[in-house]
Amino acid sequence: MLDLIIKNGLVVNADKTEKLDLAVKAGKIAALGCCASFSQAERVIDADGMYILPGMIDSHAHIASTGVEFDSLDDYYSGTIAAAYGGTTTIVDFSFLKQGETPLDALERKLSEANGQCVIDYSFHPCINKADPEHYAQIRSILRNGFPSVKLFTVYRGSLMLEKAGVYEMLKMVAEENGIALVHAECADMIEYNIAQAIANGKTMPWDHAKARPPITEIEAMYGVVSMVERTNAPVIFAHLATGQARALLEKYRAQLPVFAEVCPHYLTLTEECYQQEDGYNFVCSPPIRSKEEQDALWTLVEDGLVDIINSDHTDFSSLQKAVHKAYFPNIPNGLPTIEDRGLVLFSEGVQKGRISINRFVDLTATKTAKLMGMYPQKGVIQPGSDADLVVIDPKPQKVRLVSEHHMKTDFSPFAGIELSGKVVHTIVRGCFIIENGAFTNTNFRGSLVKRTSPIL
């Protein structure tokens, strides 16, 4: 007896789309083919006219984030429910260090916070902000024990930033341990100077945040990191790329070096004019949202295959938190609530508008992420033996996104007013329905910690 059959749907992988029936047993995909050839199942779902995709993986999400002045509103329960509503079945969060913590301290704290709370599967990227032998040794041990990815910052001096000597040491270690580094690449020196000049001249509104971090601050930092990759051959993902001016770098180096690029949906849908709105403070994130020309250039990078993954970079602050320092951008909490909308925004703006194929969508949101994160083929693909992590999307519904319909804890959305084409009907994690007919129904299921292996490059 099978647990589940999904029949009459279009099964989509990164390489092909087929009209197939799908069988699930004990949390795994048991078979693909014609349901007439399957055993009986406890449950049968008709997905006629719908896409059956691998569950989306969001490998850049910040949940239950703590800051100097503000903590994000979500916890691992509410945050992963919101993710599931958007078709995400696995997240990879970050274990940022609090004052006085070591990388291992921070990871153990985040593991404890997430344990028994997530309604989808989860993992973590360890973080390091200090060029210190003890911290290096801990990161090496963590990379070897199921968390083979490390987050590095070239900006935010005094908090998240790792000095260049440390970045170089970490990239050597990543290469030695067959891991991968995620790099927030912005030039600290330039940005610090620009912010100081802005403050001195009384230019501290949200619009001035964008002006303080022009595209050159990304490009300069990326070239610095690439020069280290040339010498270490360490795989690197440039996180949340916000400028199409990275084309020359990506075209030159991707053929010869393990250099990968991530983009987020807000950079593909919003423009810098949002900072001139009355609620412009709500859109403060780093790198900032840029011009329409930059947005078009980013889409071209996606279409030309120069972008590998599209993640949310979610942080769930409220408009009240954002507004506390609305006239002084250096203190506005950074980040946008996007974990619930990432998939459908990309589906609507990419697939439904003909910019990318449905197969490319799967690659960007699931398959390539699973490979780079060391989860493939357990996740990121629909094939016998893989986890039955599935999202069923009905492409037909169209509606304007309303903040009132969100399941995140915030009271605003950067995508409010955007017309979405399609609906997440079911989200299934290891064979268990989390979202069923568009509603969160399984309050008992809890996701598992995913211990990962070396990236598939």
Side-chain angles (χ1 to χ4, degrees), residues 7-80:
K7 65 179 185 178
N8 298 327
L10 285 171
V11 174
V12 185
N13 279 307
D15 59 345
K16 60 185 175 181
T17 303
E18 300 175 282
K19 187 155 189 175
L20 294 170
D21 301 325
L22 182 154
V24 174
K25 177 71 174 176
K28 299 288 185 180
I29 297 169
L32 295 169
C34 175
C35 66
S37 65
F38 299 160
S39 304
Q40 288 186 322
E42 292 185 10
R43 185 167 184 188
V44 179
I45 297 294
D46 192 341
D48 187 37
M50 302 183 195
Y51 291 120
I52 306 169
L53 313 179
M56 298 180 215
I57 302 167
D58 193 341
S59 61
H60 192 153
H62 306 283
I63 295 181
S65 296
T66 56
V68 175
E69 184 174 2
F70 302 102
D71 295 342
S72 68
L73 298 178
D74 54 4
D75 53 31
Y76 282 97
Y77 185 65
S78 67
T80 55

Side-chain angles (χ1 to χ4, degrees), residues 10-317:
L10 285 171
V11 174
V12 185
N13 279 307
D15 59 345
K16 60 185 175 181
T17 303
E18 300 175 282
K19 187 155 189 175
L20 294 170
D21 301 325
L22 182 154
V24 174
K25 177 71 174 176
K28 299 288 185 180
I29 297 169
L32 295 169
C34 175
C35 66
S37 65
F38 299 160
S39 304
Q40 288 186 322
E42 292 185 10
R43 185 167 184 188
V44 179
I45 297 294
D46 192 341
D48 187 37
M50 302 183 195
Y51 291 120
I52 306 169
L53 313 179
M56 298 180 215
I57 302 167
D58 193 341
S59 61
H60 192 153
H62 306 283
I63 295 181
S65 296
T66 56
V68 175
E69 184 174 2
F70 302 102
D71 295 342
S72 68
L73 298 178
D74 54 4
D75 53 31
Y76 282 97
Y77 185 65
S78 67
T80 55
I81 289 172
Y85 268 105
T88 294
T89 56
T90 306
I91 59 164
V92 190
D93 197 352
F94 300 82
S95 57
F96 291 145
L97 284 70
K98 291 184 177 182
Q99 186 69 33
E101 284 187 329
T102 67
L104 186 57
D105 292 335
L107 178 61
E108 289 178 341
R109 171 175 51 81
K110 293 296 279 184
L111 287 169
S112 177
E113 291 174 6
N115 183 40
Q117 298 300 308
C118 298
V119 305
I120 61 177
D121 287 352
Y122 63 97
S123 188
F124 287 96
H125 306 289
C127 302
I128 181 170
N129 60 0
K130 185 178 179 181
D132 173 88
E134 179 190 8
H135 288 209
Y136 291 160
Q138 288 189 6
I139 291 291
R140 190 181 294 276
S141 175
I142 293 168
L143 292 175
R144 289 175 174 177
N145 286 283
F147 305 95
S149 53
V150 62
K151 181 70 180 286
L152 308 175
F153 285 82
T154 67
V155 70
Y156 304 125
R157 197 184 309 272
S159 57
L160 298 172
M161 177 176 161
L162 182 64
E163 60 190 77
K164 289 182 180 179
V167 172
Y168 187 47
E169 289 302 313
M170 289 310 306
L171 292 183
K172 288 193 289 186
M173 183 186 299
V174 162
E176 292 165 1
E177 300 298 335
N178 297 313
I180 195 164
L182 292 76
V183 181
H184 179 136
E186 289 184 289
C187 176
D189 291 348
M190 285 181 170
I191 289 170
E192 289 165 2
Y193 174 81
N194 291 344
I195 291 175
Q197 289 295 106
I199 294 170
N201 291 300
K203 296 183 179 298
T204 59
M205 299 301 288
W207 176 260
D208 301 305
H209 163 75
K211 294 304 179 185
R213 307 174 99 98
I216 183 58
T217 60
E218 282 191 79
I219 300 302
E220 191 277 344
M222 290 175 71
Y223 272 104
V225 172
V226 163
S227 70
M228 300 184 200
V229 174
E230 285 185 298
R231 288 152 182 80
T232 62
N233 205 41
V236 163
I237 300 170
F238 285 113
H240 44 50
L241 184 66
T243 173
Q245 296 178 37
R247 173 176 285 273
L249 179 149
L250 295 174
E251 287 183 334
K252 178 177 180 180
Y253 291 106
R254 280 169 62 94
Q256 53 189 289
L257 295 173
V259 172
F260 305 92
E262 171 197 82
V263 169
C264 304
H266 40 285
Y267 300 121
L268 296 171
T269 53
L270 306 175
T271 63
E272 62 189 355
E273 280 71 29
C274 64
Y275 293 118
Q276 295 180 316
Q277 298 173 187
E278 185 177 348
D279 64 345
Y281 48 85
N282 280 340
F283 297 87
V284 168
C285 59
S286 297
I289 294 160
R290 304 199 185 279
S291 67
K292 181 63 166 64
E293 290 74 20
E294 288 283 6
Q295 181 192 105
D296 291 341
L298 281 179
W299 268 115
T300 303
L301 294 182
V302 173
E303 293 162 359
D304 291 348
L306 293 171
V307 170
D308 300 279
I309 55 179
I310 294 183
N311 285 317
S312 69
D313 194 9
H314 163 86
T315 307
D316 198 19
F317 293 116

Side-chain angles (χ1 to χ4, degrees), residues 339-401:
I339 200 166
E340 187 169 350
D341 289 325
R342 173 199 48 146
L344 277 188
V345 167
L346 181 62
F347 182 80
S348 301
E349 296 293 312
V351 178
Q352 299 289 64
K353 292 187 176 180
R355 287 169 164 146
I356 58 174
S357 69
I358 187 65
N359 307 97
R360 177 83 168 118
F361 175 89
V362 166
D363 201 35
L364 289 164
T365 61
T367 306
K368 191 62 173 286
T369 309
K371 291 178 178 179
L372 293 179
M373 291 298 106
M375 300 180 186
Y376 187 90
Q378 177 186 353
K379 299 184 182 294
V381 63
I382 298 176
Q383 67 180 26
S386 295
D387 284 356
D389 293 352
L390 306 164
V391 56
V392 179
I393 292 180
D394 184 347
K396 298 183 289 296
Q398 292 191 344
K399 67 181 302 181
V400 173
R401 190 53 154 148

